[in-house]
Amino acid sequence: MIASIDYVKRKFAEYNERCFEGKLEPLPFRLSSARTFLGQVRFKRKPNFDGTWHYSDFIFVISSKRDYPETEVEDTILHEMIHYYILSNQIQDTSPHGTVFTQMMNDINKRFHRNISISHRRTKEEQDKDTEVRQHLVCAIRFNSGDTGITIAAKTRLFQLWDQLPRVPEIAECRWYFSKDPYFNRFPRAISLKVYRIPPAELKEHLAHALPLERNGKKIRVKR
């Protein structure tokens, strides 16, 4: 199914009563066209004087870009509701999916026969079916070890990553490309340093028709 605002609101109200004793306050719901996640709870955070964080301005976001089994959509809603419970109660967990989150997830799974997990990973079959043509800013990376990998830059972080990646001690070479190969759809667009290792032959195959990029000051263009 493809999630809708009405569906998510209805499930949120249902699970709030069943699984959270009705303790979760209403919050705004938004649809997203994101391909790399199904659900998110967005928020703002400010540092407290004791080094902890204060969380506020929550928004429940659900992606309507892909068709998922209904049970997976339900489990994703519950996953995000656990995040919302922890953050809205200003509970300081050890990490985003830390001790508190894991305990709550396991408890709900056991009590309500759910299958909530830490994250959704697309299968290779799902990845191969994603043949939509999109534009990608690809950094092809060669490590000192000889291994290769890529970073797919978000447009808003292109200059930042262009500067940062060559400074990583393990990286020997960075080359940037513009590509429309659907193969790259499977990788999230990076807003921070994140490299996915790919075998050299596989990387070479999917960069065969890519256009090399060059930088001149604050301008990036296809290399002539």
Side-chain angles (χ1 to χ4, degrees):
M1 69 170 294
I2 296 177
S4 67
I5 292 291
D6 288 342
Y7 178 86
V8 177
K9 283 184 176 179
R10 178 162 52 84
K11 287 297 180 180
F12 181 94
E14 175 188 336
Y15 295 142
N16 190 19
E17 294 300 322
R18 289 181 59 200
C19 306
F20 297 90
E21 300 178 344
K23 293 180 179 179
L24 295 178
E25 294 292 330
L27 75 167
F29 293 87
R30 301 284 187 271
L31 288 179
S32 168
S33 59
R35 303 174 181 86
T36 56
F37 69 85
L38 177 52
Q40 277 186 352
V41 168
R42 295 176 182 170
F43 54 88
K44 293 181 181 179
R45 68 175 189 172
K46 294 182 180 179
N48 295 319
F49 290 112
D50 60 359
T52 60
W53 295 95
H54 178 80
Y55 304 97
S56 63
D57 300 331
F58 301 101
I59 301 174
F60 199 110
V61 182
I62 198 81
S63 175
S64 59
K65 187 65 178 179
R66 300 189 185 280
D67 192 351
Y68 290 94
E70 185 172 6
T71 54
E72 189 168 339
V73 176
E74 291 174 332
D75 287 338
T76 298
I77 293 170
L78 279 164
H79 176 119
E80 299 307 325
M81 290 177 74
I82 296 172
H83 280 307
Y84 179 45
Y85 181 92
I86 293 170
L87 296 169
S88 62
N89 284 286
Q90 309 303 322
I91 298 171
Q92 308 293 312
D93 205 352
T94 54
S95 68
H97 297 107
T99 303
V100 178
F101 181 95
T102 302
Q103 287 176 346
M104 291 185 67
M105 178 185 72
N106 291 338
D107 179 61
I108 291 173
N109 281 340
K110 182 178 180 180
R111 288 170 56 208
F112 300 100
H113 308 289
R114 302 303 314 186
N115 192 32
I116 310 166
S117 60
I118 295 298
S119 64
H120 168 74
R121 296 186 181 275
R122 295 171 65 195
T123 65
K124 187 176 186 304
E125 182 181 7
E126 289 176 317
Q127 293 173 344
D128 291 341
K129 284 182 178 179
D130 185 358
T131 58
E132 181 180 342
V133 176
R134 301 200 291 272
Q135 298 179 355
H136 301 286
L137 298 167
V138 183
C139 182
I141 293 164
R142 180 172 57 84
F143 293 93
N144 295 326
S145 63
D147 292 342
T148 55
I150 61 165
T151 292
I152 310 293
K155 287 183 179 179
T156 56
R157 295 293 190 274
L158 177 57
F159 287 97
Q160 176 183 326
L161 292 170
W162 196 296
D163 290 334
Q164 289 179 340
L165 283 165
R167 298 174 187 164
V168 176
E170 293 82 4
I171 293 177
E173 183 181 35
C174 296
R175 294 180 180 271
W176 285 90
Y177 296 88
F178 173 83
S179 174
K180 293 184 179 180
D181 188 334
Y183 168 82
F184 296 113
N185 294 353
R186 67 193 64 197
F187 301 102
R189 298 193 175 188
I191 59 174
S192 60
L193 291 175
K194 180 66 176 179
V195 179
Y196 296 89
R197 292 181 185 257
I198 299 173
E202 188 172 331
L203 180 58
K204 182 179 180 181
E205 174 189 352
H206 291 287
L207 287 177
H209 301 291
L211 301 175
L213 298 175
E214 62 181 1
R215 179 176 176 180
N216 184 6
K218 294 190 176 181
K219 291 184 179 181
I220 294 174
R221 64 185 182 186
V222 174
K223 188 181 294 186
R224 297 177 180 175

